[in-house]
Amino acid sequence: MLHVLAVDRDAPRPLVVPPSIEILWAHGPDDAVEKLARNRRVDAVLFFDDGIARATVELLAADGGTPPPLFRAGTTGVAGVDALDPASLFDDLRRRLGE
């Protein structure tokens, strides 16, 4: 089972999530950092917007910890965040995490 923190202002967004993935939602960068601090079982963070991704990455860097792998559904220009194909989002995510 993979545990993914999805960060989206309009969370939760409708997604078809396979049974092998559990989604925890955060509504923005501050919420994401707080949930990561409380939940060590998060295997990856998934963003849907570069602005939110960039702000979250900045907060995580200021926090000084090592975050789980960071991903964006679609293309991204944010350093440290890898793009995933939205058409095969969860298959791509599982492959990238070695599942």
Side-chain angles (χ1 to χ4, degrees), residues 13-52:
R13 72 175 44 216
L15 296 173
V16 178
V17 183
S20 61
I21 295 179
E22 181 178 335
I23 301 287
L24 172 66
W25 289 96
H27 294 282
D30 292 321
D31 191 25
V33 171
E34 179 183 327
K35 286 185 174 158
L36 284 169
R38 288 190 330 225
N39 189 342
R40 299 290 176 202
R41 292 183 48 156
V42 174
D43 298 302
V45 179
L46 176 62
F47 301 103
F48 299 92
D49 172 90
D50 270 355
I52 291 174

Side-chain angles (χ1 to χ4, degrees), residues 32-90:
V33 171
E34 179 183 327
K35 286 185 174 158
L36 284 169
R38 288 190 330 225
N39 189 342
R40 299 290 176 202
R41 292 183 48 156
V42 174
D43 298 302
V45 179
L46 176 62
F47 301 103
F48 299 92
D49 172 90
D50 270 355
I52 291 174
R54 189 171 291 108
T56 305
V57 167
E58 289 171 3
L59 285 174
L60 289 170
D63 190 42
T66 304
L70 308 173
F71 298 99
R72 161 85 154 83
T75 59
T76 184
V78 180
V81 178
D82 293 326
L84 297 173
D85 181 358
S88 59
L89 183 63
F90 294 111

